[in-house]
Amino acid sequence: MYVVLTFVGGPNRGEHIPVEKGTKLSLGRSSSAGRKIRDSHLSRLHFEIDFTGQRAIVRDLESRNGVFVNGRKVNNKLLGPNDRLLAGEQTFDVRYADSLEDLVFEEAEETLSFNEERYQCLLCERAISLATFAEGNVREQLGKYLCPDCQVVVSFDSREFEGFEIQKRLGSGSNGMVYQARQLLLDRTVALKILIKHDGLSPRVESRFLREATTISRLSHPNIVKVYDACSFSRGYFIVMECFEGNDLQAMIEDFGVPSLAIGVSVGLQILDALDYAASQKIVHRDVKPANILYRPQDGIAKLSDFGLAKQVGVSSGTRDGEGVGTPCYMPPEQVNNARNVDHRADIYALGASFYHMFSGRFPVMADNLQDFMKGILERDPPPIERYNPKLPPELCSLIRRAMKKKPDERFQTHREMHAALDEVRKLYRVPPPPRI
């Protein structure tokens, strides 16, 4: 038996996605999803269809815009025949079939009700969910809308915010929204990272946001995104940062696949320089991953961003003993067990895991359930990277394996040591040196 999702509209209209009984399928815009869908309004891993029980369940994978079944926002819901599922800009009809032969490959009937009309924010252009409308948190004027986040910084009449002109939303960091803006007094383009205070805001998130501003303001390195200032306003706080016109590696891998050896090695050497400098200032990043590495193709410059989870060695970071923080599939075992006491070798592991992802196109840890996922972090080495990229130099494969050793003492012991090893690979394969800034 199968549960079948059928695209109702768009370029995939009429296409069926069958999920066999006893299996699961994740869907999103990432190549790591079981079914990749090109839709910028979908999260990288947006939702999962779980058909391991008697009936299929749709499960929201902590998506950005939510999952809706018959117009209602859901986290976990049993799917019935003739249900209609919405995620991002995609609408699916749900049905069950005894075999794939029962599927008729014909165009689905495209019908739109009020609940399925597309509303998007005037500034960030993201879809506004029906639940957000129902909560009364959307501003409307002459058929235009502002989502709850963007209405804090702009209005329909003005895009001026605390001496800045908001130009567009760039995305979200670990602790806040990020906008591109023009600083009116100095006439320069900057990035604003904004944290909005609300009743459900954790005091620890607030303290981490402020600590990020304090931490990065002391760092001055050409491969680290600069912080110019930090301020409070009536609804929260914002950090004024350098606006670096580059793409994050995560997005580049999803959109263009594995980068060339020259690009990957150059990015790696630059980020190792950044991490070495941070370590000299007794800073451990604790969230090194492709999404936090920015790359500008025009000049080949790479920068490390988002120090929202960084800690200063010897100073309390607000992390409890025995607690893990970071992005799990790039975290070393010791950070899962006790992030409070990790040292710079945790960043070496995370960069090695980022290399693995960058050069293979696969996440370093992949599993069907939480138990196997944790084993992948704590006990099991990832599959040999040569399996997914046979053309990768063996010296680089060995470097990645060493950086990702489970025991910190078996990794490179300093960023300089790893930098020297990577630079030898560069010279051996005649890769040009990184750009000078």
Side-chain angles (χ1 to χ4, degrees):
M1 177 175 255
Y2 297 83
V3 63
V4 182
L5 305 187
T6 303
F7 287 91
V8 170
N12 299 313
R13 182 180 177 185
E15 181 183 341
H16 302 303
I17 303 177
V19 181
E20 189 173 7
K21 187 173 177 62
T23 67
K24 300 178 183 179
L25 180 72
S26 60
L27 297 93
R29 61 182 173 85
S30 170
S31 55
S32 65
R35 174 60 160 86
K36 180 179 179 179
I37 302 172
R38 293 190 176 277
D39 179 350
S40 61
H41 293 277
L42 287 175
S43 296
R44 293 183 172 104
L45 292 174
H46 197 103
F47 68 96
E48 175 184 70
I49 301 297
D50 180 348
F51 198 10
T52 56
Q54 290 298 110
R55 285 173 58 190
I57 296 172
V58 60
R59 182 174 295 116
D60 189 344
L61 299 178
E62 299 183 357
S63 65
R64 185 178 63 205
N65 294 324
V67 176
F68 296 81
V69 175
N70 302 327
R72 291 181 176 273
K73 190 173 185 180
V74 300
N75 290 318
N76 291 275
K77 189 181 187 307
L78 287 169
L79 289 174
N82 303 316
D83 278 348
R84 178 157 283 191
L85 189 154
L86 288 80
E89 292 288 332
Q90 308 302 315
T91 303
F92 307 90
D93 279 339
V94 179
R95 59 172 159 158
Y96 290 82
D98 290 327
S99 73
L100 295 181
E101 295 177 357
D102 295 339
L103 299 182
V104 179
F105 288 85
E106 57 186 13
E107 284 196 348
E109 179 184 0
E110 184 169 16
T111 58
L112 281 178
S113 68
F114 169 78
N115 286 339
E116 293 160 351
E117 291 183 37
R118 296 290 183 248
Y119 298 97
Q120 64 182 31
C121 176
L122 178 64
L123 179 60
C124 68
E125 299 183 345
R126 296 187 179 186
I128 303 176
S129 73
L130 301 177
T132 306
F133 273 101
E135 292 165 358
N137 294 328
V138 180
R139 288 186 183 174
E140 178 183 2
Q141 181 175 298
L142 300 177
K144 296 179 180 179
Y145 305 89
L146 284 173
C147 71
D149 290 340
C150 292
Q151 66 186 250
V152 173
V153 294
V154 300
S155 67
F156 290 108
D157 301 322
S158 172
R159 291 200 171 192
E160 189 170 333
F161 167 79
E162 302 291 330
F164 299 86
E165 181 184 45
I166 303 295
Q167 296 173 332
K168 62 181 179 180
R169 181 165 169 170
L170 299 176
S172 301
S174 61
N175 293 325
M177 303 172 298
V178 184
Y179 293 89
Q180 179 180 305
R182 183 171 67 91
Q183 191 169 12
L184 299 175
L185 185 61
L186 300 178
D187 193 25
R188 66 177 175 184
T189 300
V190 298
L192 297 183
K193 188 171 185 179
I194 301 174
L195 180 69
I196 301 170
K197 291 191 290 187
H198 54 80
D199 292 340
L201 180 66
S202 164
R204 300 176 70 201
V205 171
E206 185 174 345
S207 65
R208 279 177 177 160
F209 184 88
L210 298 174
R211 188 169 58 253
E212 177 182 10
T214 304
T215 299
I216 315 182
S217 65
R218 295 199 305 268
L219 301 180
S220 179
H221 190 275
N223 296 114
I224 294 176
V225 174
K226 296 181 180 68
V227 163
Y228 300 128
D229 201 358
C231 307
S232 62
F233 69 109
S234 60
R235 297 286 300 277
Y237 309 94
F238 62 93
I239 302 173
V240 186
M241 305 184 296
E242 167 190 10
C243 187
F244 182 70
E245 294 285 347
N247 298 315
D248 69 76
L249 285 188
Q250 175 79 36
M252 288 179 59
I253 295 166
E254 290 176 3
D255 292 340
F256 306 109
V258 173
S260 67
L261 178 66
I263 290 176
V265 168
S266 175
V267 168
L269 290 170
Q270 292 178 74
I271 298 305
L272 280 165
D273 280 336
L275 289 171
D276 181 61
Y277 169 77
S280 73
Q281 305 300 306
K282 300 187 182 303
I283 299 296
V284 182
H285 189 283
R286 296 200 298 183
D287 200 21
V288 177
K289 58 183 178 181
N292 287 338
I293 297 173
L294 306 179
Y295 176 72
R296 188 164 58 199
Q298 299 93 313
D299 54 15
I301 293 174
K303 298 208 177 200
L304 184 61
S305 69
D306 202 338
F307 280 69
L309 298 180
K311 73 177 287 285
Q312 186 171 5
V313 177
V315 177
S316 173
S317 63
T319 307
R320 303 183 184 99
D321 280 331
E323 180 183 31
V325 299
T327 303
C329 68
Y330 305 100
M331 286 166 57
E334 69 271 21
Q335 190 167 333
V336 174
N337 294 326
N338 195 347
R340 182 177 186 176
N341 296 317
V342 299
D343 60 24
H344 62 277
R345 292 173 297 180
D347 287 345
I348 287 175
Y349 178 101
L351 186 59
S354 298
F355 279 4
Y356 187 98
H357 187 178
M358 177 169 61
F359 285 116
S360 71
R362 291 173 55 91
F363 289 98
V365 181
M366 298 180 71
D368 294 328
N369 56 66
L370 180 60
Q371 183 178 3
D372 282 347
F373 189 85
M374 294 307 297
K375 282 186 177 180
I377 299 174
L378 299 174
E379 303 171 12
R380 192 170 53 237
D381 292 327
I385 191 171
E386 301 94 321
R387 182 183 301 174
Y388 309 112
N389 190 348
K391 296 181 179 179
L392 207 60
E395 297 84 359
L396 183 55
C397 298
S398 297
L399 180 149
I400 293 170
R401 275 192 286 272
R402 183 178 173 188
M404 293 184 68
K405 289 290 186 182
K406 301 298 183 186
K407 297 180 180 179
D409 289 343
E410 295 179 359
R411 299 173 202 151
F412 295 100
Q413 295 302 291
T414 66
H415 300 103
R416 280 290 102 197
E417 183 185 7
M418 187 172 174
H419 186 286
L422 185 58
D423 200 45
E424 285 300 316
V425 175
R426 179 191 70 78
K427 293 174 183 175
L428 184 61
Y429 290 88
R430 298 181 179 179
V431 172
R436 293 184 176 273
I437 305 176

